[in-house]
Amino acid sequence: MRFYGAKDIDSIAQLSKFSEQERLGMKAVAQVLPFRTNNYIVEQLIDWNNIPDDPIFRLTFPHQEMLDSQDCNQIVQLLTENAPKAVLKEAANKIRRRLNPHPAGQKEYNVPTFNGEPVPGIQHKYQETVLIFPTAGQTCHAYCTFCFRWPQFVGLDDLKFATRESGIFQQYLQQHQEVSDVLLTGGDPMTMKAWQLALYIEPLLEPEFDHIQTIRIGTKSISFWPYRYVTDEDADNTLRLFEKIVQRGKHLAIMAHYEHWKELDTPVAQEAIRRIRSTGAQIRTQAPLVRHINDSAETWAKMWQMQVSLGCIPYYMFVERQTGAKDYFEIPLVQGWEIYREAIQQVSGLARTVRGPVMSALPGKVAIDGVTEIAGEKVFVLSFWQARESDWCKRPFFAGFDADATWLNDLKPAFGEDKFFYESELEEILTRRSLKH
């Protein structure tokens, strides 16, 4: 594996198609938002005859339009002047803090307490599920340009989630018997070696964690570095760990991120899927709907069909979060719903397991179930798949139609209501959370 970052932009042979000024724009963006790719993506996934519109190129390489033009020009000027690193970093950090680095209250409301102290490196937003951010897994084989976890990778420690292998998160889980699912996330836990992964997982296989029924691993590795499961030196050790989890009676769910069907199309990617599934693990697939990358029904339908044929389970189509380069990537909610609806019509029932479009917003996972007219008013029909209060789930509610809305915060309650049904209770929940901290 060879990694490429901002310093390599001039030396990647395929980028010679771009002018020096265009490459300078890429470098400017890469000073603010994280950029990392690798030789597998550059050599096997990107169609360099379709630049700049190739979806995997859009997915992994910086583009000047991802930053506000004034911000981009400022960084370009500093680079042109060979400004000191400290000056460049300060300018980049000012821009970063304006890009809503932790949307949906992750820092403020999702970090739980144990013995009166915040538990570092875990989030507990929904009753049944705890997210764990292993310290050694807070990087990726490549960075997605739209990634809502971009603050993990830019060197600002106060924006980062991470926990050590040792015990406090385990003590927290023992105290919370309502938790049935643990999700290892990042970054990408699969950048860790098998022995590092085992330090987090194997304790959860012991009798005191019988209430943990499912272990999930959120990963982009099957797409960005499938050799992790095929020819890497500890590929077999990783698969043996997966087998051990399943043999101990836990459900192992690999939460695989795929933005485009091209990521499924190489022989090594398909072999990685086959080998993972041979351990008894299930692969569930999810991705956001992102402008410039997968904003067509045909792309999603083909991707879901390929996933089902490879034995994967389509799980979520997300709405791109309100962070980072959102202005470049976001799509109006109504257009997202139309793409989902058109795509779902093209696939069999086995692919219709996918939920979408869904916003991972402050109160929970809100699905756009449709657009209709009620009593002469055009409305969005919405519901929760997951929520901070489980009683909110699958209770339909309505928002006034807005063709330009791209997120829940843009919507207003329909029928003259002052608030959505959950808002008063949400305020109480968030106030209690704030008082705990």
Side-chain angles (χ1 to χ4, degrees):
M1 188 192 316
R2 293 190 307 281
F3 289 120
Y4 305 113
K7 68 182 189 308
D8 303 304
I9 284 174
D10 283 332
S11 59
I12 298 172
Q14 291 87 342
L15 293 184
S16 61
K17 292 175 178 249
F18 294 91
S19 70
E20 187 175 344
Q21 194 62 29
E22 287 171 326
R23 292 199 302 275
L24 185 59
M26 288 184 192
K27 290 180 210 171
V29 175
Q31 300 301 314
V32 177
L33 296 168
F35 167 52
R36 169 189 259 189
T37 189
N38 66 54
N39 50 311
Y40 171 71
I41 294 167
V42 169
E43 293 165 13
Q44 295 192 55
L45 292 188
I46 294 174
D47 177 3
W48 291 98
N49 293 316
N50 186 29
I51 299 303
D53 295 324
D54 177 80
I56 309 301
F57 179 72
R58 295 281 189 189
L59 174 63
T60 54
F61 276 80
H63 311 283
Q64 195 163 330
E65 302 84 357
M66 287 167 57
L67 290 183
D68 174 84
S69 59
Q70 191 172 341
D71 289 337
C72 191
N73 290 339
Q74 180 194 6
I75 301 296
V76 164
Q77 185 173 346
L78 290 173
L79 288 172
T80 305
E81 295 169 351
N82 287 319
K85 281 187 179 178
V87 173
L88 196 57
K89 185 175 181 181
E90 183 183 359
N93 284 345
K94 281 183 180 175
I95 296 169
R96 287 165 177 157
R97 294 189 185 279
R98 294 202 302 270
L99 298 179
N100 190 22
H102 279 305
Q106 293 179 79
K107 291 287 277 190
E108 301 92 331
Y109 306 118
N110 294 2
V111 178
T113 57
F114 181 73
N115 293 337
E117 293 292 327
V119 185
I122 77 170
Q123 292 187 26
H124 192 182
K125 182 177 180 180
Y126 306 126
Q127 178 177 290
E128 308 84 1
T129 307
V130 164
L131 277 60
I132 298 173
F133 295 76
T135 300
Q138 298 315 306
T139 185
C140 295
H141 295 101
Y143 297 142
C144 297
T145 42
F146 64 80
C147 182
F148 82 93
R149 292 227 192 271
W150 63 268
Q152 296 287 97
F153 316 126
V154 294
L156 289 173
D157 287 344
D158 63 318
L159 296 182
K160 190 169 185 172
F161 291 100
T163 186
R164 300 284 173 191
E165 305 82 41
S166 65
I168 189 165
F169 80 83
Q170 295 167 10
Q171 295 171 45
Y172 179 84
L173 288 174
Q174 283 179 297
Q175 191 183 73
H176 287 267
Q177 297 286 308
E178 77 277 13
V179 176
S180 61
D181 290 41
V182 165
L183 168 61
L184 274 73
T185 185
D188 193 328
M190 295 313 304
T191 58
M192 298 192 293
K193 297 293 186 186
W195 67 267
Q196 293 173 303
L197 199 58
L199 292 173
Y200 288 88
I201 291 176
E202 287 187 340
L204 304 181
L205 307 182
E206 298 303 320
E208 57 265 37
F209 295 100
D210 279 351
H211 60 293
I212 305 295
Q213 300 165 9
T214 299
I215 293 172
R216 309 185 198 180
I217 301 174
T219 186
K220 186 76 184 173
S221 57
I222 318 175
S223 167
F224 280 173
W225 191 253
Y227 302 102
R228 177 73 188 79
Y229 308 94
V230 182
T231 58
D232 273 11
E233 61 182 16
D234 76 338
D236 289 346
N237 291 338
T238 299
L239 298 180
R240 297 298 81 77
L241 175 62
F242 288 1
E243 287 175 350
K244 184 176 183 179
I245 296 166
V246 174
Q247 287 163 3
R248 292 287 184 91
K250 305 287 189 188
H251 174 57
L252 176 58
I254 307 300
M255 315 305 292
H257 296 253
Y258 289 103
E259 275 68 45
H260 198 277
W261 58 262
K262 288 179 73 171
E263 300 168 86
L264 297 149
D265 209 28
T266 64
V268 68
Q270 295 179 10
E271 177 64 6
I273 290 170
R274 188 196 67 77
R275 296 195 88 208
I276 292 167
R277 292 186 63 242
S278 74
T279 68
Q282 281 191 345
I283 300 174
R284 296 179 186 267
T285 63
Q286 55 193 31
L289 177 56
V290 192
R291 191 154 53 100
H292 304 295
I293 294 171
N294 57 20
D295 50 339
S296 79
E298 290 70 29
T299 296
W300 284 88
K302 183 170 181 176
M303 180 165 67
W304 292 337
Q305 287 165 336
M306 289 177 72
Q307 287 166 353
V308 169
S309 70
L310 292 165
C312 305
I313 303 168
Y315 186 50
Y316 269 120
M317 173 200 272
F318 287 113
V319 176
E320 167 61 1
R321 292 209 193 188
Q322 302 300 89
T323 183
K326 72 174 185 65
D327 292 341
Y328 181 71
F329 289 121
E330 67 186 357
I331 289 171
L333 297 177
V334 65
Q335 187 182 343
W337 171 70
E338 288 166 350
I339 289 171
Y340 173 83
R341 186 167 169 270
E342 189 180 332
I344 214 79
Q345 292 170 15
Q346 299 177 43
V347 298
S348 79
L350 292 179
R352 296 188 185 189
T353 51
V354 69
R355 304 158 178 182
V358 172
M359 295 174 275
S360 279
L362 181 62
K365 288 187 170 73
V366 179
I368 302 145
D369 292 327
V371 174
T372 192
E373 192 169 300
I374 299 175
E377 183 174 347
K378 191 174 184 181
V379 295
F380 283 111
V381 184
L382 308 169
S383 66
F384 284 98
W385 274 108
Q386 264 287 18
R388 290 186 185 272
E389 172 52 59
S390 56
D391 185 55
W392 302 346
C393 291
K394 302 314 293 177
R395 288 171 60 179
F397 63 104
F398 304 94
F401 181 78
D402 181 342
D404 299 319
T406 60
W407 196 251
L408 184 64
N409 296 356
D410 299 331
L411 299 178
K412 304 281 191 298
F415 314 126
E417 297 289 333
D418 292 330
K419 291 182 175 181
F420 292 118
F421 80 90
Y422 61 84
E423 287 194 81
S424 296
E425 195 171 359
L426 175 65
E427 288 169 17
E428 293 174 15
I429 291 168
L430 298 183
T431 300
R432 288 199 302 270
R433 283 271 190 175
S434 296
L435 291 173
K436 277 188 179 182
H437 288 275

